[in-house]
Amino acid sequence: MPISPDAFFLDRSPERGAGLPLQVQLRRQIIAAVTAGRFRAGEKLPSTRALADHLGVARVTVAQAFAELVSTDYLTSRDRSGHFISDRIERRIEAGDSPPATGRFDWDRQLEHRYSRAQRSDRTRDWQRYGYPFIYGQADPALVDHAAWRDCAMRVLGRREFAAVTSDLYDADDAELVDHIARQILPRRGISAGPDEILLTMGAQNALWLVTQLLLRPGASCAIEDPSYPGQREILSASGARVLPVPVDPQGLPPEAVPPGIAAVFTTASHQCPTNSTMPLARRKALLARAQAQGFAVVEDDYEFEMSFAGAPSPALKAIDRAGAVIYVGSFSKSVFPGLRLGYLVADPRFIAEARALRGMMLRHPPGHMQRTLAHFLSLGHYDAQANRMRRAFAQRRRIMLEAIAAEGMELASPGTTGGSSFWLATPPGIDAKVLTEVLKTRDVLIEPGAAFFSDPAQGRGFYRLAYSSIPAERIPEGIARIARTIRDLRP
Amino acid sequence: MPISPDAFFLDRSPERGAGLPLQVQLRRQIIAAVTAGRFRAGEKLPSTRALADHLGVARVTVAQAFAELVSTDYLTSRDRSGHFISDRIERRIEAGDSPPATGRFDWDRQLEHRYSRAQRSDRTRDWQRYGYPFIYGQADPALVDHAAWRDCAMRVLGRREFAAVTSDLYDADDAELVDHIARQILPRRGISAGPDEILLTMGAQNALWLVTQLLLRPGASCAIEDPSYPGQREILSASGARVLPVPVDPQGLPPEAVPPGIAAVFTTASHQCPTNSTMPLARRKALLARAQAQGFAVVEDDYEFEMSFAGAPSPALKAIDRAGAVIYVGSFSKSVFPGLRLGYLVADPRFIAEARALRGMMLRHPPGHMQRTLAHFLSLGHYDAQANRMRRAFAQRRRIMLEAIAAEGMELASPGTTGGSSFWLATPPGIDAKVLTEVLKTRDVLIEPGAAFFSDPAQGRGFYRLAYSSIPAERIPEGIARIARTIRDLRP
C-alpha cells in the first residue's frame, strides 16, 4: 500500500522555542513509523513534490530528509520511481531510535484493575489448532448453514431495508426481530411476552451483565449454583456483590438450600451448567414460590434449550412465573453461532425499561444488520432447520461418545442427562483434571478442567467437561481413547 | 404462519391437587395466546391429531377444547381444513379473560431507576417522517455506498472467512480491522499505535461508557465542556461522578479553566460539540501539559474528524501526547453509518488491557461479521471514497445553508468554524428554542434545541443546532425559510 501524504504532520509553532527543524521532524516521523511497523519494507513514499505540497514546505526540505534517510538505510531510492522503505529496516530498528514504549502517565494509580483481576482464565484461544477439541461454545462450520445466513444477510442489504440497517436506533430494538422471538421462539418455552417485556442484548453475556448491574448494587448478595457457568461468576466477581454458592445435586439447584436475604438467584434449570441436569417441575414451582415469598428475583439462563434429545424440552421457569419474578435470558450463540452476539432478556416491563435505558447508555443497540438478518433467518425457517440439523448431529456424537466413554471405563459424573452438548466427567482418585488437561494438550486433545466451574476451584480438581459441539463425530473415539490412555499414564 | 404444536404445554403434576383438567388448560393457553397477540386472526392451529400426539393426550380431549372455543368465537372450523383463529377475536378480548399485565413481584423496590432517570430526553425517534430534518447523527442513504457495503459483507460470508466471522473471539478483536485502523486511519490523525494500544468498541457510545466505568469511581470528579455532547453527559449522570462544566469560548475548551483534582477531562478538540470550534495547537499543548502536571487523563472524542473543509484536519491531541495521558475515542458512525456500531479506543496499553477485560465481560466483542466487513470496506478504498463523497456533499450543503442563513438574517452563535456537519445558532432575545422546536414540528421541520447540550438547561434556551447530515441540499433553503418565518411569528 503506498504511503499517503496524509500520514505526515509538521509542527510549526514558534512557542516551541528551539523547535526542531522541519526536516528533522520529518525524518523522525518516518523513523517512528518504520519502528512501529506502520510503514513496511518496500512501501512507496509520496513523491517529494506531493509531500512538500501537503506539508506546505519547500520541496528541497523533503528531498534532504529523504536523502539523509537513504544514507542511514531507512529508505532506498530508485532512479525515477521514487523512494521506498528499505528492506534493511530490521537492522536499523535494532540499532535504536525507538521512542519509549509507554508514556509517563501513571495509569497504575488511575486504574483499579478490577476487571482484569476478575477475568476468567480458563479459555484456550487457539482451540482451533487442536485435532480433538472437546471444547464448548464455539461454532461448528460443518453445522452452520452459511449459505442460508449469507442469503439472509444479502436480502437485508438491499435498498429497501438499508435505512433500517444503517440508522441509529437509539435504545430501541428491531421490531421485526422482537416479533419473531415473541411469536416463534418464546412459545416453545411456554412463554407469552409482548414487546415491552423483551430486550435484545449482545448475547447472553451482555444480558447477564445488565442483570447484574441492575440487581446487585453494592452490599447486595446473590445465590448461584455450584458448580456453575464461569462466565457468570466472572461478572459477579467484578460486581463486588456477595456471592453465595449453592451446591447442586442430580436434579440441579435445590430450592430449599437457596439462602434468604438475597437479591437474586442465578439458575440454569433446563440444562444445569456444567452437570446438564434438568430441574424437574416440582422443584421449579418450589423455587418460584420461595422467590415470591422472600422477594428475590430468579435469573434463568436458558442457553441451548434446543438441544433436548428426550422429546420436547420442559417449559421454562418463565412459563410458570405468575408473580413476574423471573428474568429470562435467551441466546442465539449456540443455535445460530456465537460470533453473532445476539441474545435477549424477557422480564417484567419495569425491569426491561430500566435494562433498555442501561443498554442504550452502554452501547445503544445491537447492529441493525445483525438483528434484521437474524429476523429473516428465523422467518424463512433456517433457524428451525439448523436447530434440527444440530440436534441430529449432536445426538449422533452423543451416542458415539457415550459408547466410547463406557468402553474405556471412564466415569460420568452426571449420568442420565438428556440434553445439552457436553458431558461432565470425574477423574479417578489422585488425578488432577488440570494436570490431565495440560498433558492432553501435548497429545492434541483439548478438554475443559473443572476448577473454573466451582466457587472453590479446589473442588473442581476431580472433574472435567467434554463438549461435542466442535468435534466431528469421526474423531470422537480416538479423542476419548487418548484421554483414557492419558488417565492411565497419570495414575499415581 | 401456521401455529406449531410446540407452542403448547400441559401441566400434569399431581401436586396441584385440584389440578385443572387438561382440556381446560389447553383452552386457557389458546385464549392467553390470542389475547397476547401471539396467535393472530386467521392463523391455522395444528390438527387435533398432531396436537394430541405432541401433548400425549387423547385426540378427543383436543377436539373438545377446540369445539368449546368455536362456540365462544375464539376459533372457527372449516370442514376438512381444520381450525383457525377466529376473525372475531377483538370482540372476545374486550370481553375479558386477559391475565394481569404485570405480576406481583415488587420491581419498583428492586430497581434504583438510576439509568432511566439519567436518560437523555432530547431525541425524536420518528425523525424520518419530517420533510426538513436538520438532525444530527443519522445516516443519509443517498451518501452511503450500500452497494460497496453489500459487496464487502458478501465477501466476508464465503467459507474462507466464515470461521473468523462466526467464532467466539472472547475478548479479542479482529486483527485485520485493528491493523487497518492502525495503518490507514490513525496516521491521518498523526497517531502511531500498535495493537496493544487499540480496542474496538460498539461505537463511541460504548467507548465513552467504558472510559467512564474505568476512570470515574465513586467520589471521583471530572471536567466537561459546556455546552457539550448530551450522550456524554447522560453517561456521566448515571455514573454518580461529580461533573464540573467548563464553559467553552470560540477556541473551545480553555485549559487554564480546567479545575484541579479531577480524574479526567472530556473534550472534543477537533470539532467542539456543539459549537464546532477547533482547538488551536497552542491550547492543545497547554491542556496536555496541565494533564501531565496534575495527573488527570484527557478523553478526546474525535467524532467526524473527516469532515474538515478548510484543508487537512489538525493532528489529534493523541498525536502530540508524549506522556500517554490521552484516551482517544474514534468512531465509524459518521463516516460509515451509525447502525454499524463500531468505534475504537486508543490509549496506553495498561488502560486498554483493563478496558478489554471490561468489554469482554459486558459483551465479549463486536460481531465478527461487522468487524471483518468494515476491514474490507477500509482496505478496498470504499471508506476513503465515501468520506470524500460526504465531504463534497456536506460542503455543498454547508454553502447553501450559510447563504440561506445570511439571507434570512439568522444569527450564527459560532461563526467561522471550518468543519463538522452542523451549525450552532442563537435565537433572537425572547424566543425559547424549545418553543421554536415544537412549533417547527407542526411545520414539518426538525431542529435540535440547545437545552440538552448545557449542564444548566436554562442556559440552552437561546441556542439551537441545525445539522445538514440528513437533509438533502435542495430542501435546505425552504427549511431555513420556515425556521426564519417561525422565528418572526414567535416574536414577543
Side-chain angles (χ1 to χ4, degrees), chain A residues 170-422:
Chain A
Y170 305 138
D171 59 0
D173 296 327
D174 184 294
E176 277 198 32
L177 178 55
V178 172
D179 189 57
H180 285 299
I181 290 172
R183 307 208 315 125
Q184 191 175 340
I185 310 260
L186 295 183
R188 296 172 194 200
R189 310 304 288 116
I191 299 170
S192 169
D196 62 340
E197 298 171 275
I198 300 170
L199 179 74
L200 295 177
T201 64
M202 301 288 305
Q205 181 84 30
N206 186 217
L208 292 171
W209 175 270
L210 290 168
V211 169
T212 301
Q213 285 285 106
L214 294 176
L215 292 187
L216 300 179
R217 302 193 291 278
S221 53
C222 66
I224 61 167
E225 296 163 344
D226 199 27
S228 62
Y229 168 48
Q232 176 68 63
R233 282 217 319 289
E234 176 189 51
I235 291 171
L236 290 174
S237 170
S239 76
R242 256 178 81 230
V243 178
L244 307 168
V246 179
V248 299
D249 63 27
Q251 292 191 330
L253 179 72
E256 65 282 3
V258 174
I262 56 172
V265 63
F266 293 82
T267 180
T268 45
S270 289
H271 301 135
Q272 203 281 324
C273 174
T275 66
N276 281 319
S277 315
T278 298
M279 189 188 283
L281 188 56
R283 277 203 175 179
R284 292 170 186 240
K285 293 178 182 178
L287 180 62
L288 293 185
R290 200 172 170 85
Q292 192 181 337
Q294 301 200 358
F296 59 79
V298 177
V299 185
E300 174 181 23
D301 183 356
D302 202 33
Y303 76 110
E304 76 163 8
F305 73 85
E306 299 92 340
M307 298 304 126
S308 271
F309 303 112
S314 43
L317 285 169
K318 187 70 187 156
I320 55 174
D321 170 36
R322 280 177 178 65
V326 177
I327 298 170
Y328 178 91
V329 174
S331 170
F332 291 103
S333 292
K334 311 297 180 297
S335 51
V336 183
F337 50 82
L340 176 64
R341 311 308 314 129
L342 277 174
Y344 46 96
L345 280 166
V346 183
D348 184 278
R350 289 165 287 182
F351 180 86
I352 291 297
E354 195 62 21
R356 185 178 299 286
L358 173 55
R359 188 203 75 190
M361 275 184 223
M362 275 172 41
L363 58 93
R364 302 258 172 109
H365 57 85
H369 186 199
M370 306 308 285
Q371 293 195 49
R372 193 51 73 92
T373 303
L374 180 61
H376 282 248
F377 198 74
L378 294 177
S379 72
L380 291 170
H382 297 309
Y383 164 85
D384 288 335
Q386 184 157 302
N388 288 338
R389 181 170 50 251
M390 283 179 158
R391 225 182 347 255
R392 280 194 305 270
F394 285 2
Q396 183 202 29
R397 294 179 193 182
R398 182 187 177 78
R399 230 173 17 248
I400 292 173
M401 206 165 188
L402 270 174
E403 283 169 18
I405 284 171
E408 298 283 356
M410 286 157 65
E411 182 188 343
L412 282 174
S414 236
T417 59
T418 56
S421 49
S422 63

Side-chain angles (χ1 to χ4, degrees), chain A residues 125 127-128 138-141 144 146 149 337-341 370, chain B residues 153 155-170 172-177 200 365-373 375-376:
Chain A
R125 292 174 192 282
W127 63 274
Q128 277 158 322
Q138 290 290 355
D140 186 336
V144 176
H146 69 289
W149 184 262
F337 50 82
L340 176 64
R341 311 308 314 129
M370 306 308 285
Chain B
R155 287 170 182 250
V156 158
L157 291 179
R159 267 211 183 274
R160 199 177 60 82
E161 292 187 81
F162 204 64
V165 157
T166 57
S167 295
D168 182 350
L169 301 177
Y170 304 140
D173 296 327
D174 184 293
E176 278 196 33
L177 179 56
L200 294 177
H365 57 85
H369 186 200
M370 306 308 284
Q371 293 195 49
R372 193 51 73 92
T373 303
H376 282 247

Side-chain angles (χ1 to χ4, degrees), chain A residues 34-116:
Chain A
V34 162
T35 309
R38 285 186 295 116
F39 297 170
R40 297 196 182 155
E43 285 188 328
K44 187 178 189 310
L45 277 95
S47 68
T48 50
R49 181 185 299 282
L51 189 48
D53 284 350
H54 170 78
L55 294 172
V57 302
R59 191 177 174 192
V60 65
T61 303
V62 177
Q64 281 174 339
F66 281 12
E68 165 69 18
L69 291 172
V70 166
S71 73
T72 48
D73 266 344
Y74 278 95
L75 301 185
T76 57
S77 163
R78 291 179 213 170
D79 290 340
R80 309 276 173 99
S81 303
H83 290 81
F84 298 79
I85 303 294
S86 161
D87 293 328
R88 290 187 262 183
I89 49 171
E90 283 76 23
R91 229 174 294 158
R92 288 306 288 120
I93 289 170
E94 284 157 21
D97 278 335
S98 44
T102 53
R104 286 160 285 166
F105 190 86
D106 191 356
W107 283 106
D108 292 310
R109 186 181 57 82
Q110 275 270 14
L111 298 167
E112 266 185 331
H113 298 290
R114 184 162 131 200
Y115 301 102
S116 51

Side-chain angles (χ1 to χ4, degrees), chain A residues 6-7 9 11 13 15-16 36-38 40 43 102-105 107-116 118-119 123-125 128 137-139 141 144 146 149-150 153-154 157-159 162-163 165-171 179 182-183 187-190 192 202 205-206 209 213-215 217 229 234-235 238 263 281-282 285 292 295-297 313 315 322-325 327 337-341 348-351 354 357-358 360-365 367-370, chain B residues 6-7 9 11 13 15-16 36-38 40 43 102-105 107-116 118-119 123-125 128 137-139 141 144 146 149-150 153-154 157-159 162-163 165-171 179 182-183 187-190 192 202 205-206 209 213-215 217 229 234-235 238 263 281-282 285 292 295-297 313 315 322-325 327 337-341 348 350-351 354 357-358 360-365 367-370:
Chain A
D6 286 340
F9 291 97
D11 178 357
S13 53
E15 310 94 71
R16 280 186 61 95
R38 285 186 295 116
R40 297 196 182 155
E43 285 188 328
T102 53
R104 286 160 285 166
F105 190 86
W107 283 106
D108 292 310
R109 186 181 57 82
Q110 275 270 14
L111 298 167
E112 266 185 331
H113 298 290
R114 184 162 131 200
Y115 301 102
S116 51
Q119 235 183 345
R123 286 165 163 151
T124 306
R125 292 174 192 282
Q128 277 158 322
Q138 290 290 355
V144 176
H146 69 289
W149 184 262
R150 189 171 64 236
M154 288 306 103
L157 292 179
R159 268 210 182 274
F162 203 65
V165 157
T166 56
S167 296
D168 182 348
L169 301 177
Y170 305 138
D171 59 0
D179 189 57
R183 307 208 315 125
R188 296 172 194 200
R189 310 304 288 116
S192 169
M202 301 288 305
Q205 181 84 30
N206 186 217
W209 175 270
Q213 285 285 106
L214 294 176
L215 292 187
R217 302 193 291 278
Y229 168 48
E234 176 189 51
I235 291 171
L281 188 56
K285 293 178 182 178
Q292 192 181 337
F296 59 79
R322 280 177 178 65
I327 298 170
F337 50 82
L340 176 64
R341 311 308 314 129
D348 184 278
R350 289 165 287 182
F351 180 86
E354 195 62 21
L358 173 55
M361 275 184 223
M362 275 172 41
L363 58 93
R364 302 258 172 109
H365 57 85
H369 186 199
M370 306 308 285
Chain B
D6 285 341
F9 291 95
D11 176 358
S13 53
E15 311 92 71
R16 281 185 61 93
R38 286 185 295 115
R40 296 192 183 161
E43 286 188 326
T102 53
R104 286 160 285 166
F105 190 84
W107 284 107
D108 292 309
R109 185 182 56 82
Q110 274 271 16
L111 298 166
E112 265 185 332
H113 297 290
R114 186 161 130 199
Y115 301 101
S116 51
Q119 236 182 344
R123 285 166 164 150
T124 306
R125 291 174 192 282
Q128 276 155 323
Q138 292 290 356
V144 176
H146 68 289
W149 184 262
R150 188 171 65 234
M154 192 153 64
L157 291 179
R159 267 211 183 274
F162 204 64
V165 157
T166 57
S167 295
D168 182 350
L169 301 177
Y170 304 140
D171 60 0
D179 189 57
R183 304 205 320 125
R188 297 172 193 198
R189 310 303 288 118
S192 169
M202 301 288 305
Q205 181 85 29
N206 187 218
W209 175 270
Q213 285 285 107
L214 293 177
L215 292 187
R217 301 193 291 278
Y229 168 48
E234 177 189 51
I235 291 172
L281 188 56
K285 293 178 182 179
Q292 192 180 336
F296 59 80
R322 278 176 180 66
I327 297 169
F337 51 81
L340 176 63
R341 310 308 315 128
D348 184 278
R350 289 165 287 183
F351 180 85
E354 196 61 22
L358 173 55
M361 275 183 224
M362 275 172 41
L363 58 94
R364 302 256 172 110
H365 57 85
H369 186 200
M370 306 308 284

